[in-house]
Amino acid sequence: MSDKNGGVVFTKLEMGRMTAAADGDVVLFVVGMRINRFWAVHRWLPVMYAMPMMLRELGKDRTAGLLHHVLGTSDPRNFYVIQYWESKEKLLAYAAASGKRHQPWWARINRYARKSKGHVGIWHETYLVPAGSYETIYGDMPAYGLGKAYGVRPLGEGVRARDRLAV
């Protein structure tokens, strides 16, 4: 990434060993699509287009509860988004909100999926992770994932994974 003067813009490094500053339960929502037939662009492109629209909407309304998201791909066919939510209630409220983009797009995506005859696959997973059941460590890098969603704090010397996972 470059700034307007052509210089490189770096994300702030958090030097040393850090951990996510999440203190309670964590909600992860992972959603994705798989292109089963590359030539059927008219079937999978609308599905791919839907998620950025919803993410932009959520980014403009921080009260909706999306804390952070990470876009990813595992190969040329599979694309996904990992989302970190404030609570399961806010995730479910967004999914059910009639005035938001999710409901009409979800209906549209389901129609595309039914008509696609296997051209595109869709999936999602929701994880409700209780406090004490997750641990993170980031070494000399910008906040990422859960640390980006909740912020980071110093890990402390001698603190091990088993200590971070203790309830």
Side-chain angles (χ1 to χ4, degrees), residues 100-114:
K100 301 291 184 180
R101 292 187 183 267
H102 178 266
Q103 274 196 342
W105 269 102
W106 184 242
R108 190 175 298 162
I109 288 168
N110 279 316
R111 282 193 304 277
Y112 284 127
R114 279 192 299 276

Side-chain angles (χ1 to χ4, degrees), residues 76-103:
R77 292 184 183 275
N78 291 286
F79 301 88
Y80 60 88
V81 182
I82 302 170
Q83 299 177 1
Y84 301 86
W85 283 80
E86 217 172 283
S87 68
K88 73 175 180 184
E89 292 78 17
K90 289 197 174 190
L91 169 62
L92 295 172
Y94 177 72
S98 60
K100 301 291 184 180
R101 292 187 183 267
H102 178 266
Q103 274 196 342

Side-chain angles (χ1 to χ4, degrees), residues 14-23 134-141 151-166:
E14 298 289 347
M15 297 305 292
R17 291 168 24 112
M18 307 297 276
T19 189
D23 288 322
Y134 55 87
E135 72 91 25
T136 62
I137 184 169
Y138 311 100
D140 296 338
M141 65 177 284
V152 293
R153 62 179 170 232
L155 185 58
E157 292 300 316
V159 179
R160 300 172 303 177
R162 87 175 75 243
D163 301 323
R164 292 188 300 276
L165 285 169

